Amino acid sequence: MWLKDSSIGRKFIMSLTGLALVFFLLFHGCMNLVVVFSEDAYNAICHFLGANWYALVGTVGLAFLVLLHFCYAFYLTIQNRAARGNDRYAVTAKKEGVEWESENMLVLGIIVIGFLVLHLYNFWFKMQLAEITNGATAPEELATKGAYYVKALFTSGWSGIVYCGLYLVWLCALWFHLRHGVWSALHTLGWNNLVWMKRIKVIGICLATLVVLPFAIVVLYYLGMGIGMLC
């Protein structure tokens, strides 16, 4: 089957899964941004996206997309390195017109995956998974735990500042990964003519910024609160 046996097919799957993950991150970032304006509204969202069947189906689907995207990315990188052979060691100067992130997408992806594991431990493990394993949760507890975890994580003195710093590093890596990833995905899907080449680069920058900005606002908001607690 060409989707898995050909390089174009694998890139096609990479593009579709990558774009799907971009739009999920955009939704997730906007959802997180709500906590800055209304903790009650954020708690309501956490209640809606708790251990309900539709949330669990979405979680499984999302995990499948992440796994598929990462596995194909890793395989394509290994395949490209094997095709280049020893020639890749002969080039020491940076290629003209080749952006830094385009040559380091796997490294950026590994950083993103690493912080994704940290993020899952800090939030999903202590919220949705805890609700699943503990069975039914009292409605009043379920309605208040969302903002509680966010505030406890990011405003607990020096540890909160350290976590904020780690998340900002993750967001920088994510921005670079998305900026090139969106451009590459749209290029693979056919938007690669002379008219759209420069436009999709701008689209990549805009989408990467729109995804990262809500997360960054939340982190910086609680970073300010954490520093205020130490002063």
Side-chain angles (χ1 to χ4, degrees), residues 3-21:
L3 282 176
K4 65 181 182 65
D5 295 333
S6 70
S7 176
I8 295 176
R10 287 187 284 269
K11 289 180 180 179
F12 183 76
I13 292 177
M14 277 278 295
S15 300
L16 291 182
T17 55
L19 289 174
L21 292 172

Side-chain angles (χ1 to χ4, degrees), residues 6 27 61 157 218:
S6 70
F27 159 76
V218 173

Side-chain angles (χ1 to χ4, degrees), residues 119-139:
H119 185 72
L120 289 174
Y121 171 76
N122 284 330
F123 292 98
W124 178 80
F125 182 80
K126 296 179 180 179
M127 294 173 69
Q128 188 182 64
L129 183 61
E131 186 180 345
I132 295 170
T133 55
N134 291 337
T137 306

Side-chain angles (χ1 to χ4, degrees), residues 24 45-63 119-137 142 145-146 149:
F24 166 77
I45 293 173
C46 291
H47 177 75
F48 179 73
L49 296 175
N52 302 302
W53 69 267
Y54 47 82
L56 296 179
V57 170
T59 300
V60 173
L62 181 63
H119 185 72
L120 289 174
Y121 171 76
N122 284 330
F123 292 98
W124 178 80
F125 182 80
K126 296 179 180 179
M127 294 173 69
Q128 188 182 64
L129 183 61
E131 186 180 345
I132 295 170
T133 55
N134 291 337
T137 306
L142 185 61
K145 69 178 184 178
Y149 278 131

Side-chain angles (χ1 to χ4, degrees), residues 10 14 64-78 106:
R10 287 187 284 269
M14 277 278 295
F64 176 75
L65 286 176
V66 171
L67 182 63
L68 192 64
H69 186 76
F70 182 77
C71 288
Y72 270 74
F74 190 79
Y75 181 72
L76 281 170
T77 301
I78 297 300
L106 184 63

Side-chain angles (χ1 to χ4, degrees), residues 17-207:
T17 55
L19 289 174
L21 292 172
V22 166
F23 287 110
F24 166 77
L25 285 172
L26 185 59
F27 159 76
H28 190 46
C30 292
M31 182 194 80
N32 284 357
L33 188 60
V34 172
V35 75
V36 174
F37 302 100
S38 172
E39 291 189 359
D40 290 338
Y42 182 75
N43 288 330
I45 293 173
C46 291
H47 177 75
F48 179 73
L49 296 175
N52 302 302
W53 69 267
Y54 47 82
L56 296 179
V57 170
T59 300
V60 173
L62 181 63
F64 176 75
L65 286 176
V66 171
L67 182 63
L68 192 64
H69 186 76
F70 182 77
C71 288
Y72 270 74
F74 190 79
Y75 181 72
L76 281 170
T77 301
I78 297 300
Q79 190 179 47
N80 290 338
R81 285 178 176 270
R84 290 170 60 189
N86 294 327
D87 291 343
R88 68 181 186 274
Y89 297 111
V91 180
T92 56
K94 185 180 183 296
K95 297 178 182 178
E96 185 177 354
V98 178
E99 296 175 336
W100 172 83
E101 59 266 38
S102 69
E103 296 183 325
N104 295 277
M105 285 295 282
L106 184 63
V107 175
L108 291 169
I110 291 173
I111 294 174
V112 170
I113 289 292
F115 279 95
L116 176 61
V117 173
L118 176 66
H119 185 72
L120 289 174
Y121 171 76
N122 284 330
F123 292 98
W124 178 80
F125 182 80
K126 296 179 180 179
M127 294 173 69
Q128 188 182 64
L129 183 61
E131 186 180 345
I132 295 170
T133 55
N134 291 337
T137 306
E140 61 273 12
E141 180 185 349
L142 185 61
T144 58
K145 69 178 184 178
Y148 167 79
Y149 278 131
V150 175
K151 189 174 293 184
L153 177 65
F154 287 114
T155 59
S156 54
W158 283 112
S159 62
I161 294 176
V162 170
Y163 268 119
C164 286
L166 289 174
Y167 271 92
L168 289 175
V169 170
W170 169 55
L171 291 173
C172 287
L174 180 63
W175 188 86
F176 281 107
H177 188 78
L178 292 181
R179 184 179 78 158
H180 179 74
V182 170
W183 175 86
S184 179
L186 295 178
H187 184 276
T188 299
L189 294 175
W191 291 15
N192 54 357
N193 54 57
L194 293 177
V195 175
W196 278 97
M197 283 294 287
K198 291 184 178 180
R199 293 180 182 179
I200 61 177
K201 284 191 175 184
V202 175
I203 292 172
I205 293 172
C206 291
L207 264 180

